[in-house]
Structures are given as C-alpha cells and as structure tokens.
Amino acid sequence: MSAYIAPSQIAQRQLDYFAGKHVLVAGEAEDLFPVELVQHCHSVTVFTTNYGYYRQLQAHTQIDSVFGAEFDQTTQADMVLLYWPKAKAEAQYLLAMLMAKLGENTEIVVVGENRSGIKSIEKMFKPYGPITKYDSARRCSFYWGVCHHAPDTFTLAEWFKTYTVNYRDSSLTIKSLPGVFSHGEFDIGSQLLLDTLPPLAGKVLDFGCGAGVIGSVLALLNPDIELEMCDISALAVESSRATLQANQLKGQVFASDIYSDTRQDYDYIISNPPFHAGLDTSYNATETLLAQGPSYQSAKGELFIVANSFLKYPPIIEQAYSNCETLNKTNKFAIYHAKK
C-alpha cells in the first residue's frame, strides 16, 4: 500500500509532465511525494500554509520549503503542482498569488479528490488560460494547463473578508483570509465558551486561534492579560494578527504545531479546537492538546475548551489533570474545565 495520499498517487502516474521542470508545490499537500519528485525534475520548492507539514519537510534538504500566508520568494519555478484545497476560496487565493508571481507560460498541474470539488478548476482557471483533465484514478483527477494571462499584481490585503462580531456591549472587526475557520458571524461554540469564562489574569494561550475572535474578546475583556494566540495555519496567524490590529488590541500571534512553539507557563489554555484535517475528521491534535496540557501550564494552570457534546474528551482531560468538570452544556456543545 502506498504511503502517499490519493492525489499524490495520481501525480506519481504522470511523472513525465514534471520532467525538466522547476516545480512549485502548493495547496493541501501532506505527504513526502515532493521528495520523490526531485528525482524527476530540476528542482522542487514546497509552499505550504500548514506549519506541521513545513516541520515535517525540514528533514528533507533536497527540497526548498517555504511556510507563510504568501509566497513572495525569488523563484525559478515554471510549473505549479497544486493540491486542491478543501476551501474553494483558498484555491482562488493560491491561483491569484502564484500566477501573479510566476507569470505567463507557467504550467500548472492540479490534483485532488473528486469529492473535494476539484472540477471547479475548469471554470476557475479560465481567466488564466486553458486547463484539461488528463487522468482520473482512485476517485481523484489530474489536470494540466498553462497560464496565458497572468494578473499584474497580488495584494494580500485585498483577500481579507471583514465582518463584525458583537459581544456584550462591544463591537469587534474580524479579518479572515480564505480557508480560515470563520462563519462570517459569531460561532455559537465560541460564544458559549466566552460566556462561561471567569475574569482572567496572567499568561493566556488561545489555541487554534483561527480568525482571532476568541483572542480578541479575551484581550478586550481582560486588558491586562499577557495574550498569546497560536494556530497551525499561516492564513489563520495572518488573520488573527490583522484582527488584533483592526481592534487596536495587544497579543502575540505565532504558528505552532500543537505545543511545538509555545511556552510552558500558561495560567490559562483556552480553545475552540479544530477537528478537521483536510477533508477528513481528525481529533488527534485536540487529544494531544488536552493530554499534554499540564506540561505547558503554570502550577495553578487552568484549561477551558468548548467541544461538540458527543466527543469523548472528558476522560482524556480527567487523565491529564485528574479532574474535569462540565461548566455549561447545550444540545450541541459542552464547556469543559480542568485545574492543574
């Protein structure tokens, strides 16, 4: 059985397309196919917005890996291998950025699962040039095309969606890049979590900060806290920074693969944790967050999370902290609290 995800397997069937090329990999890549690809083309650069994937690639010096919300490095790339992302808006964002950067005559290969809506590339790429499906296997599709009309410029600031969240007597401006978890309105789970929190003091970590809604409310209600916000996504980090700035709030925002880049002395860890990895549901990150929480907290550290009621998080919290209480519950969400 291949160690590659299905989109990589279909790309592997079509290695001739990459011969002699300088390939820039982008999108929802999550395996080591780019390392094999080096043997079949001139060079491989991976641009990823996923910090966990970026860290995984660090051991493989034969490829250049770039992490961030925007690819603005000097590059020889003349071909893009785009792994179709789960959010259509993110695909539009990546295409606009990469075609503006690489310019006319750039070739593009797009691979992805059919259920992810990859067929949208046919219409989405039209402003840039022709694209055609050349292969399908393992419920995936393989497209090849060429950019004939590159956009003149790409401006990151133009891609933020801006919306307003009202909480208690305050109004907050939220800035969100494509692909970042945000409803364009106040998430019900986040609101329940904030309604349940006591006044905070000391060092506070908003884990999985997304567009920065929770962290911004925390900073607004508790102006003296030392706020840190982290996410695995560069798009989320950029969004949260923009949200804090838009509301003139203070906080440090950074990328972290669970606890990889955090400190170890938080008085509070607060989270509306994610449970999607690509198209599939994954609870691994949250389970690690809970199980290892005490190691990253001060002597009197506290944990507050909101989760779908059906998820079996209390036993994990109980084992890590030796206690777990349910502070609030609706038919959909539960707020769990533990003390170190």
Side-chain angles (χ1 to χ4, degrees), residues 5 18 35 37 39 45-46 71 85 92 114 162 173 182-183 207 221 243 267 280 288 296 303-304 309:
I5 56 173
F18 304 102
V35 178
L37 193 56
Q39 301 162 26
T45 302
V46 177
F71 182 76
Q92 291 171 320
N114 297 333
T162 304
T173 301
S182 75
H183 292 285
F207 175 88
L221 298 181
T243 295
D267 298 300
D280 301 311
T288 304
Y296 295 89
L303 168 83
F304 290 89
S309 305

PDB file of all heavy atoms in Angstrom, residues 5 18 35 37 39 45-46 71 85 92 114 162 173 182-183 207 221 243 267 280 288 296 303-304 309:
ATOM      1  N   ILE A   5      -0.909   9.970  -0.227  1.00  0.00           N
ATOM      2  CA  ILE A   5      -2.345  10.216  -0.337  1.00  0.00           C
ATOM      3  C   ILE A   5      -2.749  10.046  -1.809  1.00  0.00           C
ATOM      4  O   ILE A   5      -1.908  10.112  -2.708  1.00  0.00           O
ATOM      5  CB  ILE A   5      -2.715  11.632   0.172  1.00  0.00           C
ATOM      6  CG1 ILE A   5      -1.924  12.717  -0.578  1.00  0.00           C
ATOM      7  CG2 ILE A   5      -2.494  11.746   1.681  1.00  0.00           C
ATOM      8  CD1 ILE A   5      -2.351  14.152  -0.251  1.00  0.00           C
ATOM      9  N   PHE A  18       6.425  16.365 -15.336  1.00  0.00           N
ATOM     10  CA  PHE A  18       7.305  17.172 -14.489  1.00  0.00           C
ATOM     11  C   PHE A  18       8.766  17.190 -14.963  1.00  0.00           C
ATOM     12  O   PHE A  18       9.579  17.938 -14.421  1.00  0.00           O
ATOM     13  CB  PHE A  18       7.253  16.645 -13.043  1.00  0.00           C
ATOM     14  CG  PHE A  18       5.852  16.610 -12.472  1.00  0.00           C
ATOM     15  CD1 PHE A  18       5.149  15.409 -12.385  1.00  0.00           C
ATOM     16  CD2 PHE A  18       5.235  17.766 -12.045  1.00  0.00           C
ATOM     17  CE1 PHE A  18       3.854  15.362 -11.868  1.00  0.00           C
ATOM     18  CE2 PHE A  18       3.944  17.740 -11.528  1.00  0.00           C
ATOM     19  CZ  PHE A  18       3.253  16.537 -11.439  1.00  0.00           C
ATOM     20  N   VAL A  35       9.419  14.915  -2.248  1.00  0.00           N
ATOM     21  CA  VAL A  35      10.809  14.431  -2.104  1.00  0.00           C
ATOM     22  C   VAL A  35      11.144  13.468  -3.247  1.00  0.00           C
ATOM     23  O   VAL A  35      12.232  13.519  -3.832  1.00  0.00           O
ATOM     24  CB  VAL A  35      11.003  13.734  -0.731  1.00  0.00           C
ATOM     25  CG1 VAL A  35      12.414  13.190  -0.602  1.00  0.00           C
ATOM     26  CG2 VAL A  35      10.713  14.724   0.398  1.00  0.00           C
ATOM     27  N   LEU A  37       9.637  13.529  -6.148  1.00  0.00           N
ATOM     28  CA  LEU A  37       9.528  14.323  -7.375  1.00  0.00           C
ATOM     29  C   LEU A  37      10.859  14.951  -7.767  1.00  0.00           C
ATOM     30  O   LEU A  37      11.137  15.140  -8.961  1.00  0.00           O
ATOM     31  CB  LEU A  37       8.456  15.411  -7.161  1.00  0.00           C
ATOM     32  CG  LEU A  37       7.940  16.166  -8.378  1.00  0.00           C
ATOM     33  CD1 LEU A  37       7.395  15.218  -9.439  1.00  0.00           C
ATOM     34  CD2 LEU A  37       6.879  17.170  -7.960  1.00  0.00           C
ATOM     35  N   GLN A  39      13.638  13.697  -8.007  1.00  0.00           N
ATOM     36  CA  GLN A  39      14.396  12.798  -8.890  1.00  0.00           C
ATOM     37  C   GLN A  39      13.936  12.889 -10.345  1.00  0.00           C
ATOM     38  O   GLN A  39      14.596  12.366 -11.244  1.00  0.00           O
ATOM     39  CB  GLN A  39      14.240  11.351  -8.407  1.00  0.00           C
ATOM     40  CG  GLN A  39      14.729  11.117  -6.983  1.00  0.00           C
ATOM     41  CD  GLN A  39      14.180   9.824  -6.395  1.00  0.00           C
ATOM     42  OE1 GLN A  39      13.856   8.887  -7.112  1.00  0.00           O
ATOM     43  NE2 GLN A  39      14.051   9.786  -5.071  1.00  0.00           N
ATOM     44  N   THR A  45      10.235  23.151  -4.964  1.00  0.00           N
ATOM     45  CA  THR A  45      10.001  24.038  -3.827  1.00  0.00           C
ATOM     46  C   THR A  45       8.590  23.763  -3.334  1.00  0.00           C
ATOM     47  O   THR A  45       7.669  23.629  -4.140  1.00  0.00           O
ATOM     48  CB  THR A  45      10.104  25.519  -4.243  1.00  0.00           C
ATOM     49  OG1 THR A  45      11.403  25.741  -4.792  1.00  0.00           O
ATOM     50  CG2 THR A  45       9.886  26.447  -3.064  1.00  0.00           C
ATOM     51  N   VAL A  46       8.424  23.640  -2.033  1.00  0.00           N
ATOM     52  CA  VAL A  46       7.087  23.458  -1.467  1.00  0.00           C
ATOM     53  C   VAL A  46       6.697  24.719  -0.719  1.00  0.00           C
ATOM     54  O   VAL A  46       7.411  25.158   0.182  1.00  0.00           O
ATOM     55  CB  VAL A  46       7.025  22.248  -0.504  1.00  0.00           C
ATOM     56  CG1 VAL A  46       5.633  22.133   0.114  1.00  0.00           C
ATOM     57  CG2 VAL A  46       7.379  20.961  -1.238  1.00  0.00           C
ATOM     58  N   PHE A  71       3.473  33.533  -0.795  1.00  0.00           N
ATOM     59  CA  PHE A  71       4.733  33.104  -1.396  1.00  0.00           C
ATOM     60  C   PHE A  71       5.354  34.317  -2.084  1.00  0.00           C
ATOM     61  O   PHE A  71       4.902  34.745  -3.140  1.00  0.00           O
ATOM     62  CB  PHE A  71       4.499  31.978  -2.411  1.00  0.00           C
ATOM     63  CG  PHE A  71       5.776  31.469  -3.023  1.00  0.00           C
ATOM     64  CD1 PHE A  71       6.623  30.631  -2.301  1.00  0.00           C
ATOM     65  CD2 PHE A  71       6.148  31.830  -4.311  1.00  0.00           C
ATOM     66  CE1 PHE A  71       7.815  30.170  -2.853  1.00  0.00           C
ATOM     67  CE2 PHE A  71       7.339  31.374  -4.871  1.00  0.00           C
ATOM     68  CZ  PHE A  71       8.167  30.538  -4.137  1.00  0.00           C
ATOM     69  N   PRO A  85      -7.225  22.484  -2.473  1.00  0.00           N
ATOM     70  CA  PRO A  85      -7.561  22.644  -1.051  1.00  0.00           C
ATOM     71  C   PRO A  85      -9.054  22.444  -0.792  1.00  0.00           C
ATOM     72  O   PRO A  85      -9.863  22.527  -1.724  1.00  0.00           O
ATOM     73  CB  PRO A  85      -7.146  24.087  -0.762  1.00  0.00           C
ATOM     74  CG  PRO A  85      -7.211  24.780  -2.076  1.00  0.00           C
ATOM     75  CD  PRO A  85      -7.006  23.760  -3.150  1.00  0.00           C
ATOM     76  N   GLN A  92      -8.798  29.785  -5.138  1.00  0.00           N
ATOM     77  CA  GLN A  92      -8.788  31.050  -5.890  1.00  0.00           C
ATOM     78  C   GLN A  92      -7.640  31.946  -5.419  1.00  0.00           C
ATOM     79  O   GLN A  92      -6.942  32.564  -6.234  1.00  0.00           O
ATOM     80  CB  GLN A  92     -10.124  31.775  -5.701  1.00  0.00           C
ATOM     81  CG  GLN A  92     -11.288  31.066  -6.369  1.00  0.00           C
ATOM     82  CD  GLN A  92     -12.636  31.666  -6.009  1.00  0.00           C
ATOM     83  OE1 GLN A  92     -12.860  32.043  -4.866  1.00  0.00           O
ATOM     84  NE2 GLN A  92     -13.531  31.745  -6.967  1.00  0.00           N
ATOM     85  N   ASN A 114     -12.156  13.906  -6.115  1.00  0.00           N
ATOM     86  CA  ASN A 114     -13.355  14.397  -6.802  1.00  0.00           C
ATOM     87  C   ASN A 114     -14.368  14.976  -5.814  1.00  0.00           C
ATOM     88  O   ASN A 114     -15.015  15.968  -6.097  1.00  0.00           O
ATOM     89  CB  ASN A 114     -13.988  13.266  -7.618  1.00  0.00           C
ATOM     90  CG  ASN A 114     -13.045  12.787  -8.717  1.00  0.00           C
ATOM     91  OD1 ASN A 114     -12.203  13.547  -9.196  1.00  0.00           O
ATOM     92  ND2 ASN A 114     -13.163  11.532  -9.103  1.00  0.00           N
ATOM     93  N   THR A 162     -13.960  40.869   5.785  1.00  0.00           N
ATOM     94  CA  THR A 162     -14.137  41.625   7.026  1.00  0.00           C
ATOM     95  C   THR A 162     -15.580  41.523   7.486  1.00  0.00           C
ATOM     96  O   THR A 162     -16.497  41.698   6.686  1.00  0.00           O
ATOM     97  CB  THR A 162     -13.771  43.106   6.808  1.00  0.00           C
ATOM     98  OG1 THR A 162     -12.432  43.181   6.307  1.00  0.00           O
ATOM     99  CG2 THR A 162     -13.848  43.896   8.097  1.00  0.00           C
ATOM    100  N   THR A 173     -14.147  44.110  14.879  1.00  0.00           N
ATOM    101  CA  THR A 173     -13.928  43.886  13.453  1.00  0.00           C
ATOM    102  C   THR A 173     -13.074  42.629  13.292  1.00  0.00           C
ATOM    103  O   THR A 173     -11.978  42.552  13.855  1.00  0.00           O
ATOM    104  CB  THR A 173     -13.198  45.089  12.823  1.00  0.00           C
ATOM    105  OG1 THR A 173     -14.006  46.241  13.023  1.00  0.00           O
ATOM    106  CG2 THR A 173     -12.970  44.873  11.340  1.00  0.00           C
ATOM    107  N   SER A 182     -14.030  30.468   9.945  1.00  0.00           N
ATOM    108  CA  SER A 182     -14.822  31.608  10.414  1.00  0.00           C
ATOM    109  C   SER A 182     -16.144  31.564   9.678  1.00  0.00           C
ATOM    110  O   SER A 182     -16.193  31.285   8.491  1.00  0.00           O
ATOM    111  CB  SER A 182     -14.110  32.942  10.145  1.00  0.00           C
ATOM    112  OG  SER A 182     -14.182  33.288   8.787  1.00  0.00           O
ATOM    113  N   HIS A 183     -17.196  31.830  10.375  1.00  0.00           N
ATOM    114  CA  HIS A 183     -18.525  31.728   9.776  1.00  0.00           C
ATOM    115  C   HIS A 183     -18.992  33.033   9.152  1.00  0.00           C
ATOM    116  O   HIS A 183     -20.071  33.093   8.590  1.00  0.00           O
ATOM    117  CB  HIS A 183     -19.549  31.318  10.852  1.00  0.00           C
ATOM    118  CG  HIS A 183     -19.360  29.932  11.350  1.00  0.00           C
ATOM    119  ND1 HIS A 183     -19.710  28.823  10.611  1.00  0.00           N
ATOM    120  CD2 HIS A 183     -18.853  29.447  12.507  1.00  0.00           C
ATOM    121  CE1 HIS A 183     -19.437  27.731  11.308  1.00  0.00           C
ATOM    122  NE2 HIS A 183     -18.904  28.081  12.464  1.00  0.00           N
ATOM    123  N   PHE A 207      -5.557  28.690  21.839  1.00  0.00           N
ATOM    124  CA  PHE A 207      -5.022  27.646  20.962  1.00  0.00           C
ATOM    125  C   PHE A 207      -5.968  27.416  19.786  1.00  0.00           C
ATOM    126  O   PHE A 207      -7.159  27.223  19.958  1.00  0.00           O
ATOM    127  CB  PHE A 207      -4.858  26.336  21.745  1.00  0.00           C
ATOM    128  CG  PHE A 207      -4.430  25.181  20.869  1.00  0.00           C
ATOM    129  CD1 PHE A 207      -3.088  24.947  20.641  1.00  0.00           C
ATOM    130  CD2 PHE A 207      -5.366  24.352  20.266  1.00  0.00           C
ATOM    131  CE1 PHE A 207      -2.682  23.893  19.825  1.00  0.00           C
ATOM    132  CE2 PHE A 207      -4.974  23.304  19.449  1.00  0.00           C
ATOM    133  CZ  PHE A 207      -3.624  23.075  19.228  1.00  0.00           C
ATOM    134  N   LEU A 221     -11.889  42.060  27.106  1.00  0.00           N
ATOM    135  CA  LEU A 221     -12.490  41.929  28.438  1.00  0.00           C
ATOM    136  C   LEU A 221     -11.453  41.924  29.562  1.00  0.00           C
ATOM    137  O   LEU A 221     -11.756  42.248  30.705  1.00  0.00           O
ATOM    138  CB  LEU A 221     -13.317  40.642  28.523  1.00  0.00           C
ATOM    139  CG  LEU A 221     -14.510  40.509  27.574  1.00  0.00           C
ATOM    140  CD1 LEU A 221     -15.228  39.191  27.806  1.00  0.00           C
ATOM    141  CD2 LEU A 221     -15.488  41.663  27.738  1.00  0.00           C
ATOM    142  N   THR A 243      -6.816  40.942  12.779  1.00  0.00           N
ATOM    143  CA  THR A 243      -7.973  41.189  13.647  1.00  0.00           C
ATOM    144  C   THR A 243      -7.559  41.989  14.882  1.00  0.00           C
ATOM    145  O   THR A 243      -8.218  42.959  15.255  1.00  0.00           O
ATOM    146  CB  THR A 243      -8.645  39.868  14.047  1.00  0.00           C
ATOM    147  OG1 THR A 243      -9.178  39.243  12.864  1.00  0.00           O
ATOM    148  CG2 THR A 243      -9.772  40.071  15.034  1.00  0.00           C
ATOM    149  N   ASP A 267      -1.093  30.392  32.424  1.00  0.00           N
ATOM    150  CA  ASP A 267      -2.071  30.314  33.510  1.00  0.00           C
ATOM    151  C   ASP A 267      -3.404  29.781  32.995  1.00  0.00           C
ATOM    152  O   ASP A 267      -4.136  29.109  33.717  1.00  0.00           O
ATOM    153  CB  ASP A 267      -2.258  31.707  34.129  1.00  0.00           C
ATOM    154  CG  ASP A 267      -0.954  32.223  34.734  1.00  0.00           C
ATOM    155  OD1 ASP A 267      -0.433  31.548  35.646  1.00  0.00           O
ATOM    156  OD2 ASP A 267      -0.447  33.269  34.289  1.00  0.00           O
ATOM    157  N   ASP A 280     -11.055  15.208   5.914  1.00  0.00           N
ATOM    158  CA  ASP A 280     -11.446  14.206   6.901  1.00  0.00           C
ATOM    159  C   ASP A 280     -11.479  14.775   8.312  1.00  0.00           C
ATOM    160  O   ASP A 280     -10.888  15.791   8.604  1.00  0.00           O
ATOM    161  CB  ASP A 280     -10.475  13.015   6.832  1.00  0.00           C
ATOM    162  CG  ASP A 280     -10.471  12.393   5.441  1.00  0.00           C
ATOM    163  OD1 ASP A 280     -11.567  12.127   4.927  1.00  0.00           O
ATOM    164  OD2 ASP A 280      -9.387  12.228   4.869  1.00  0.00           O
ATOM    165  N   THR A 288      -4.031  15.525  21.805  1.00  0.00           N
ATOM    166  CA  THR A 288      -2.669  15.836  22.274  1.00  0.00           C
ATOM    167  C   THR A 288      -2.673  17.125  23.094  1.00  0.00           C
ATOM    168  O   THR A 288      -2.012  17.218  24.135  1.00  0.00           O
ATOM    169  CB  THR A 288      -1.705  15.965  21.079  1.00  0.00           C
ATOM    170  OG1 THR A 288      -1.767  14.762  20.319  1.00  0.00           O
ATOM    171  CG2 THR A 288      -0.280  16.202  21.536  1.00  0.00           C
ATOM    172  N   TYR A 296       2.449  22.345  29.973  1.00  0.00           N
ATOM    173  CA  TYR A 296       2.658  23.681  29.398  1.00  0.00           C
ATOM    174  C   TYR A 296       1.961  24.759  30.225  1.00  0.00           C
ATOM    175  O   TYR A 296       1.731  25.855  29.751  1.00  0.00           O
ATOM    176  CB  TYR A 296       2.168  23.692  27.938  1.00  0.00           C
ATOM    177  CG  TYR A 296       3.002  22.767  27.092  1.00  0.00           C
ATOM    178  CD1 TYR A 296       2.658  21.419  26.953  1.00  0.00           C
ATOM    179  CD2 TYR A 296       4.167  23.222  26.485  1.00  0.00           C
ATOM    180  CE1 TYR A 296       3.453  20.558  26.207  1.00  0.00           C
ATOM    181  CE2 TYR A 296       4.966  22.369  25.745  1.00  0.00           C
ATOM    182  CZ  TYR A 296       4.609  21.039  25.612  1.00  0.00           C
ATOM    183  OH  TYR A 296       5.400  20.190  24.885  1.00  0.00           O
ATOM    184  N   LEU A 303      -7.586  24.970  32.299  1.00  0.00           N
ATOM    185  CA  LEU A 303      -7.943  24.680  30.908  1.00  0.00           C
ATOM    186  C   LEU A 303      -9.439  24.912  30.718  1.00  0.00           C
ATOM    187  O   LEU A 303     -10.247  24.475  31.546  1.00  0.00           O
ATOM    188  CB  LEU A 303      -7.612  23.212  30.588  1.00  0.00           C
ATOM    189  CG  LEU A 303      -8.167  22.642  29.287  1.00  0.00           C
ATOM    190  CD1 LEU A 303      -7.259  23.024  28.106  1.00  0.00           C
ATOM    191  CD2 LEU A 303      -8.287  21.116  29.358  1.00  0.00           C
ATOM    192  N   PHE A 304      -9.799  25.597  29.647  1.00  0.00           N
ATOM    193  CA  PHE A 304     -11.209  25.749  29.266  1.00  0.00           C
ATOM    194  C   PHE A 304     -11.329  25.427  27.779  1.00  0.00           C
ATOM    195  O   PHE A 304     -10.650  26.053  26.960  1.00  0.00           O
ATOM    196  CB  PHE A 304     -11.693  27.193  29.465  1.00  0.00           C
ATOM    197  CG  PHE A 304     -11.829  27.620  30.897  1.00  0.00           C
ATOM    198  CD1 PHE A 304     -10.755  28.189  31.574  1.00  0.00           C
ATOM    199  CD2 PHE A 304     -13.035  27.488  31.575  1.00  0.00           C
ATOM    200  CE1 PHE A 304     -10.871  28.616  32.889  1.00  0.00           C
ATOM    201  CE2 PHE A 304     -13.159  27.905  32.895  1.00  0.00           C
ATOM    202  CZ  PHE A 304     -12.085  28.471  33.555  1.00  0.00           C
ATOM    203  N   SER A 309     -20.732  18.088  21.981  1.00  0.00           N
ATOM    204  CA  SER A 309     -21.095  17.271  23.143  1.00  0.00           C
ATOM    205  C   SER A 309     -20.790  15.789  22.970  1.00  0.00           C
ATOM    206  O   SER A 309     -20.513  15.087  23.933  1.00  0.00           O
ATOM    207  CB  SER A 309     -22.589  17.438  23.452  1.00  0.00           C
ATOM    208  OG  SER A 309     -22.886  18.800  23.611  1.00  0.00           O
TER     209      SER A 309
END
